[in-house]
């Protein structure tokens, strides 16, 4: 248990060791520890932010979905309306066409009736003339009687 | 070196390997008388004593330097390769020590200093490693040394009061440095002379200054002395118990085991106490009252 110069040697060694530790050992390791702490903190913050973003995205998806549903409903309504419209139009057209056809048929019928009437009156005039000539027994001067016959025809026509 | 009696065995184990100068006219262990001063290894306890202050305990210095260098080499290696990503097993272990020391410093040291934390780390790990040498079987290294002709070998540096006093006197120097840096020379002197007895009357105060100084000086000096002797005493006693157990024949293995297990607690605790008190003393030194 002698006190001797070992004491001095120990103090010098201690000073050198502490200096070395302070200069080369402590700073890098503490730096690494702080860096890791920061990394972890950043990671946690990022994960929290991601979770918040996910919630936002979910809410937006729900919103978009609702909007899409409303839109789809609108489109369906529109289509239904349009379909009704088309059916109505078609009905309308059909009705008009039918009316047109009926009118055309009526006018044709009328035309044919008129034609038939015309030809009938001609034939009637011929028959009347022939009958009269037979009755008179001679050929009447057709030119002379023309006025008379025409008057007769007109009367017939008016009575028809 | 053959050991005959229990007393000789114990004394042999408690003797450091001392290198120093023997004065002229000194009678050596083999009976020869020196004609002139000579630098040599001490071969007896008496020779070591005769070497006076300017002698070195080669074993204490060797083991403490090797352990300190090993600690710094290992930590430096880890520090250079340290990554803030996934740490290796070794880095994790070093980080545990760092976080422990950093936590202790943050708890106990009020103020900011770049020196305190590395100082605390060095004290803790170095003292721990020096204490750890206590768990090496006590006859192993001295026995091997004896085979190559080294007369004495004390493998636990912290059982040498020079080593613990060297540490605590360095801490003492830092205490004074921190006191003066925080309060100035005047403040430091005032702290030593105007407390604990303070009087508004100037003439009475002059009378109180010597009393204050004696009290405060004792307080101040008690710090390094208690710091050194606590560590030295614990480890010296532990070492002595290992030596005594080694003398107990067949009772040795169980006793040795029990004491070694208990001693694991002691060596960590003493390293921790030394570090903690270092931090606390330095914190107190730079605080204003």
């Amino acid at each position: 248990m002698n006190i001797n110069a070992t004491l001095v040697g120990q103090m010098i060694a201690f000073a050198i060791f502490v200096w070395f530790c302070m200069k080369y050992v402590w700073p890098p390791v503490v730096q690494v520890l702080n860096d890791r702490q920061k990394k972890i903190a950043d990671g946690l913050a990022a994960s929290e932010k991601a979770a918040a973003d996910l919630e936002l995205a979910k809410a937006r998806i729900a919103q978009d979905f609702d909007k899409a549903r409303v839109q789809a409903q609108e489109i369906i309504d529109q289509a239904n309306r349009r379909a009704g419209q088309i059916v109505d139009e078609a009905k309308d057209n059909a009705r008009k066409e039918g009316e047109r056809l009926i009118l055309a048929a009526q006018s044709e019928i009328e035309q044919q009736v008129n034609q038939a009437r015309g030809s009938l009156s001609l034939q009637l005039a011929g028959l009347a003339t022939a009958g009269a000539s037979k009755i008179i027994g001679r050929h009447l001067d057709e030119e002379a009687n023309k006025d008379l016959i025409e008057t007769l025809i007109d009367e017939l026509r008016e009575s028809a | 070196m053959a050991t005959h009696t229990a007393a000789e065995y114990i004394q042999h184990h408690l003797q450091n390997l001392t290198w120093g100068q023997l004065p002229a006219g000194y009678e050596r262990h083999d009976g020869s008388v020196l004609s002139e001063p000579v630098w040599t290894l001490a071969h007896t306890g008496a020779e070591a004593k005769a070497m006076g202050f300017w002698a070195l305990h080669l074993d204490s210095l060797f083991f403490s330097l090797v352990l300190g260098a090993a600690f710094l080499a290992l930590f430096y290696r880890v520090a250079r390769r340290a990554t803030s990503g996934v740490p290796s097993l070794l880095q994790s272990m070093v980080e545990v020590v760092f976080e422990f020391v950093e936590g202790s410093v943050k708890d106990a040291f009020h103020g900011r200093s770049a020196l305190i934390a590395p100082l605390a780390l060095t004290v803790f790990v170095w003292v721990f490693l020096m204490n750890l040498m206590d768990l090496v079987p006590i006859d192993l290294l001295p026995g091997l040394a004896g085979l190559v002709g080294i007369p004495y070998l004390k493998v636990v540096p912290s059982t040498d009061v020079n080593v613990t006093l060297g540490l605590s006197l360095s801490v003492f120097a830092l205490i004074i440095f921190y006191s003066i840096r925080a309060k100035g020379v005047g403040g430091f002197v005032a702290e030593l002379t105007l407390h604990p007895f303070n009087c508004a009357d100037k003439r009475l105060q002059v009378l109180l200054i010597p009393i204050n100084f004696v009290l405060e000086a004792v307080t101040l000096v008690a710090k390094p002395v208690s710091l050194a002797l606590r560590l030295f005493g614990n480890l010296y006693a532990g070492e002595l118990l290992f030596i005594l157990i080694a003398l107990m024949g067949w009772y040795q293995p169980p006793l040795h085991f029990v004491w070694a297990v208990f001693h694991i607690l002691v060596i960590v605790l003493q390293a921790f106490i030394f570090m903690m008190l270092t931090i606390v003393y330095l914190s107190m030194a730079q605080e204003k009252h």
Side-chain angles (χ1 to χ4, degrees):
Chain A
M1 242 197 85
N2 309 319
I3 302 280
N4 59 28
T6 309
L7 180 73
V8 181
Q10 191 67 21
M11 286 173 81
I12 294 166
F14 186 44
I16 292 169
F17 285 162
V18 170
W19 170 81
F20 185 87
C21 183
M22 191 170 91
K23 187 112 177 144
Y24 297 109
V25 175
W26 187 266
V29 176
V30 165
Q31 181 66 41
V32 158
L33 288 176
N34 289 341
D35 284 355
R36 179 164 325 122
Q37 210 167 24
K38 195 172 168 300
K39 260 190 196 174
I40 292 170
D42 288 353
L44 287 176
S47 80
E48 252 168 48
K49 193 174 167 295
D53 284 355
L54 182 65
E55 285 303 313
L56 273 179
K58 271 185 186 164
R60 206 165 46 216
I61 286 168
Q63 226 172 19
D64 286 356
F65 192 71
D66 283 353
K67 221 190 290 179
R69 203 157 47 192
V70 168
Q71 238 165 18
Q73 196 54 52
E74 264 173 26
I75 289 168
I76 289 167
D77 287 353
Q78 223 169 15
N80 281 342
R81 265 203 308 277
R82 181 86 189 107
Q85 225 171 358
I86 288 168
V87 169
D88 284 354
E89 264 172 31
K91 271 185 192 164
D92 209 29
N93 285 347
R95 199 164 40 78
K96 278 185 188 150
E97 182 68 14
E99 276 168 10
R100 200 179 56 78
L101 284 174
I102 290 168
L103 280 179
Q106 273 177 351
S107 69
E108 201 173 332
I109 289 165
E110 214 163 298
Q111 217 178 343
Q112 280 177 1
V113 167
N114 284 347
Q115 262 178 13
R117 196 175 281 158
S119 64
L120 274 178
S121 61
L122 280 177
Q123 282 174 4
L124 188 62
L127 281 174
T129 318
S133 59
K134 284 236 170 91
I135 296 165
I136 298 169
R138 60 170 182 101
H139 285 286
L140 290 173
D141 183 3
E142 281 194 12
E143 281 301 315
N145 293 324
K146 199 173 183 179
D147 288 344
L148 186 69
I149 289 161
E150 270 177 7
T151 310
L152 188 66
I153 288 167
D154 282 344
E155 276 170 15
L156 282 169
R157 194 171 284 167
E158 271 161 30
S159 68
Chain B
M1 171 162 276
T3 47
H4 304 290
T5 67
E8 275 174 8
Y9 177 79
I10 294 169
Q11 273 173 3
H12 179 247
H13 266 290
L14 294 180
Q15 176 60 46
N16 281 104
L17 178 65
T18 313
W19 185 74
Q21 191 187 38
L22 287 172
Y26 185 82
E27 189 185 335
R28 302 223 46 186
H29 63 289
D30 54 7
S32 63
V33 175
L34 294 172
S35 56
E36 56 188 36
V38 62
W39 288 92
T40 181
L41 284 174
H43 281 264
T44 61
E47 279 186 10
K49 225 176 206 80
M51 286 171 176
F53 181 77
W54 293 109
L56 290 174
H57 289 165
L58 295 182
D59 46 2
S60 295
L61 280 175
F62 174 76
F63 283 111
S64 68
L65 289 179
V66 164
L67 290 169
F71 145 60
L72 285 174
L74 179 72
F75 275 47
Y76 179 61
R77 213 175 115 94
V78 170
R80 271 187 38 197
R81 298 179 181 180
T83 164
S84 62
V86 179
S88 64
L89 190 64
L90 187 63
Q91 191 188 334
S92 301
M93 284 162 61
V94 168
E95 280 176 8
V96 168
V97 177
F98 264 76
E99 275 167 355
F100 171 67
V101 171
E102 203 183 20
S104 303
V105 170
K106 271 193 183 136
D107 286 345
F109 189 78
H110 306 113
R112 290 209 54 79
S113 170
L115 174 67
I116 299 299
L119 174 77
L121 177 73
T122 310
V123 165
F124 180 65
V125 181
W126 196 21
V127 170
F128 169 73
L129 288 176
M130 290 196 288
N131 293 352
L132 192 63
M133 292 301 288
D134 218 355
L135 294 179
V136 176
I138 57 160
D139 275 321
L140 179 63
L141 294 177
L144 290 175
L147 291 180
V148 296
I150 298 173
Y152 297 103
L153 196 70
K154 230 173 130 185
V155 296
V156 191
S158 44
T159 58
D160 183 351
V161 77
N162 288 295
V163 170
T164 61
L165 209 53
L167 292 176
S168 73
L169 285 181
S170 303
V171 172
F172 183 61
L174 282 173
I175 290 174
I176 292 171
F177 170 74
Y178 271 75
S179 290
I180 291 176
R181 196 181 68 165
K183 302 154 200 159
V185 178
F188 183 54
V189 171
E191 197 178 78
L192 286 178
T193 52
L194 302 180
H195 296 277
F197 302 116
N198 204 338
C199 187
D201 188 344
K202 292 283 180 223
R203 285 166 299 173
L204 211 57
Q205 182 65 53
V206 170
L207 286 175
L208 288 174
I209 281 174
I211 302 169
N212 282 336
F213 181 72
V214 168
L215 288 172
E216 286 296 318
V218 168
T219 310
L220 188 66
V221 172
K223 284 174 184 172
V225 172
S226 65
L227 201 55
L229 291 185
R230 180 183 301 107
L231 180 60
F232 164 73
N234 273 284
L235 270 292
Y236 190 82
E239 175 81 342
L240 196 57
L241 257 170
F242 276 122
I243 296 169
L244 293 176
I245 287 168
L247 287 167
M248 299 187 83
W250 289 108
Y251 296 111
Q252 197 187 138
L255 284 173
H256 192 102
F257 176 76
V258 169
W259 182 240
V261 168
F262 180 65
H263 213 62
I264 291 173
L265 188 69
V266 172
I267 61 178
V268 181
L269 191 66
Q270 287 305 322
F272 173 68
I273 289 173
F274 202 103
M275 175 192 79
M276 217 53 211
L277 285 177
T278 302
I279 299 169
V280 169
Y281 287 160
L282 291 177
S283 179
M284 281 163 67
Q286 51 102 57
E287 268 168 21
K288 291 185 172 66
H289 294 289

